[in-house]
Amino acid sequence: MNIKEVKELLTTPKNIVITAHKNPDGDAIGSSLALHHYLLSLGHQSTVIMPNEYPDFLKWIPGEEHIVKFSLDTPLAQSKIKEADLIFTLDFNLLSRSGEMENDLKSSNAVFLMIDHHQQPDDYAKFMFSDTTMSSTCQMIYHFIEKLDHLDMISAEIATCIYVGIMTDTGSFRFRSTTSTTHRVVADLIDKGADNTKIHENIYDTNTISRLQLKGVALNNLRVLPEYQVAYISLSQKELDQNKFKKGDTEGFVNFGLSIDGIKFAAIFIENKKDGIIKISLRSKGDFSVNEFSRDHFEGGGHHNAAGGKSNLSLSDTVDKFISILPSYKNVLNQ
Ligand code: 5GP
Ligand code: MN
């Protein structure tokens, strides 16, 4: 990204749209809102548009109440996209990840700016800040503001938004992508007013009894394939319904498998009858690339150690397909 040109672009007031990937997570919402507050304080018009709904535990992040959801408010979202001079796409790098917004984004004449930390970016954006070594898009927003010499403009609100995404994308500062720089950024965010204890509580202490019971079902369904160092969980639509499933309830479940001693590759398969798909989350430790595994077999992608994908087969056929692929990875997994 040519930061001088971006700085130049931002010297006059612009109509800006900020958007992130479908099924937005803490990093998607946190980075979008952090950038939104920053651009507003520079004197721009800014609208955050998310492709669809997101979990309740994200519905307190400063500015969240102004987010336009494309799937719920399509005409408004479409007119905002049409009017935009600049469109920031955050926490994704393939326009198809924006779900139903894809065609509106494609037909826009706006200048596109991508800020993202996923692998293998498409080249739809004039300005690309893509760095797969980054813990999170939120950390990149911090560095983006830093490059523009505006660290002093990071308010408590902005610091809070950025903290959320770093925390959620690093599994609370434990994944490999968490560097000493990440910790220095986080320390600065606390100095700037992010209330770290409160943020952890707002995101993680939001269980309901039915979510805990769904967790019980997931743990009961956990299977281990020791010969491949693999663990997986499946959840049927029926099991979700019986436990009053709400969006976000299965967040983090895929990590149960990975917490077993010796397991290097974990998966969860979640039936979604409405969309007619099985949603898949994949996690690994070490050298095994779930990004490539997902691209090759499940129409997905993501990061080296965390990726997602989908399947149009039934739940049990999807699990069978997964198990049938494993022998060709036996050597890599047992390395
Ligand atoms: P999760 O398993 O938490 O949904 O996603 C893990 C990572 O993979 C996230 O960074 C997410 O953006 C990415 N991801 C999830 N699903 C998909 C998908 O269907 N396609 C691609 N390209 N990336 C995905
Ligand atoms: Mn992210």
Side-chain angles (χ1 to χ4, degrees):
M1 172 169 319
N2 184 329
I3 203 71
K4 263 201 184 137
E5 272 184 61
V6 173
K7 202 166 196 163
E8 183 61 34
L9 205 59
L10 294 175
T11 52
T12 52
K14 295 285 188 309
N15 258 320
I16 299 175
V17 159
I18 302 169
T19 188
H21 58 80
K22 192 175 176 193
N23 300 322
D25 57 8
D27 193 30
I29 306 267
S31 59
S32 298
L33 289 171
L35 183 64
H36 173 72
H37 295 302
Y38 170 65
L39 293 171
L40 287 182
S41 61
L42 288 178
H44 300 287
Q45 303 275 351
S46 164
T47 307
V48 176
I49 305 178
M50 289 297 151
N52 62 341
E53 189 54 281
Y54 40 84
D56 286 348
F57 62 77
L58 300 175
K59 292 187 180 170
W60 60 270
I61 304 173
E64 179 279 321
E65 65 277 18
H66 301 302
I67 294 178
V68 176
K69 291 158 201 154
F70 187 93
S71 60
L72 302 181
D73 231 337
T74 311
L76 175 64
Q78 284 175 321
S79 77
K80 292 287 182 190
I81 294 171
K82 267 213 180 77
E83 289 164 15
D85 311 309
L86 302 183
I87 298 182
F88 281 88
T89 68
L90 306 186
D91 204 35
F92 70 99
N93 59 24
L94 312 164
L95 285 182
S96 59
R97 292 277 291 137
S98 65
E100 282 146 40
M101 292 173 60
E102 184 176 0
N103 287 332
D104 292 274
L105 291 178
K106 275 189 174 148
S107 55
S108 155
N109 293 317
V111 172
F112 279 73
L113 298 94
M114 175 203 297
I115 303 180
D116 178 63
H117 67 138
H118 293 87
Q119 304 201 336
Q120 294 151 280
D122 259 7
D123 69 348
Y124 60 82
K126 174 160 186 211
F127 297 99
M128 264 172 71
F129 181 18
S130 165
D131 185 346
T132 59
T133 69
M134 281 286 153
S135 69
S136 54
T137 301
C138 273
Q139 187 181 332
M140 297 177 77
I141 294 291
Y142 180 96
H143 295 312
F144 179 69
I145 297 174
E146 188 176 35
K147 283 176 206 271
L148 292 166
D149 290 321
H150 282 155
L151 281 187
D152 55 341
M153 286 178 70
I154 296 187
S155 59
E157 256 181 348
I158 296 177
T160 301
C161 296
I162 297 178
Y163 190 102
V164 169
I166 299 180
M167 179 187 83
T168 54
D169 259 32
T170 59
S172 297
F173 317 108
R174 63 166 286 193
F175 298 150
R176 184 78 55 208
S177 60
T178 313
T179 61
S180 59
T181 304
T182 310
H183 280 284
R184 274 187 284 273
V185 167
V186 166
D188 192 36
L189 296 174
I190 294 173
D191 286 342
K192 287 177 159 51
D195 184 341
N196 50 320
T197 303
K198 189 85 194 127
I199 295 171
H200 282 258
E201 285 173 6
N202 285 349
I203 297 282
Y204 295 119
D205 296 347
T206 53
N207 274 315
T208 56
I209 175 94
S210 50
R211 181 182 189 244
L212 289 174
Q213 281 161 347
L214 182 63
K215 196 183 261 198
V217 176
L219 288 170
N220 228 1
N221 292 353
L222 179 62
R223 298 287 176 276
V224 174
L225 302 169
E227 65 272 41
Y228 303 111
Q229 297 174 280
V230 165
Y232 66 91
I233 292 171
S234 62
L235 282 172
S236 67
Q237 184 70 60
K238 191 172 165 207
E239 288 167 322
L240 297 173
D241 293 344
Q242 282 168 347
N243 292 283
K244 303 194 193 114
F245 169 77
K246 287 213 322 287
K247 215 177 185 75
D249 279 355
T250 55
E251 195 86 26
F253 284 12
V254 63
N255 293 310
F256 299 150
L258 215 55
S259 72
I260 300 171
D261 192 15
I263 295 301
K264 282 199 197 137
F265 178 21
I268 187 165
F269 305 93
I270 302 173
E271 188 174 29
N272 182 331
K273 277 258 160 79
K274 187 167 134 269
D275 293 350
I277 59 160
I278 308 301
K279 181 65 195 153
I280 303 167
S281 284
L282 304 168
R283 299 291 185 271
S284 66
K285 282 181 181 165
D287 291 339
F288 184 70
S289 170
V290 287
N291 170 50
E292 275 165 32
F293 185 90
S294 188
R295 278 174 196 264
D296 291 346
H297 305 290
F298 292 108
E299 301 170 47
H303 309 282
H304 182 80
N305 292 132
K310 60 178 188 290
S311 153
N312 297 312
L313 304 171
S314 70
L315 183 58
S316 62
D317 286 352
T318 302
V319 172
D320 288 347
K321 173 179 168 180
F322 174 74
I323 294 171
S324 75
I325 298 167
L326 292 176
S328 57
Y329 291 91
K330 190 164 185 176
N331 289 336
V332 199
L333 285 166
N334 286 327
Q335 250 166 36

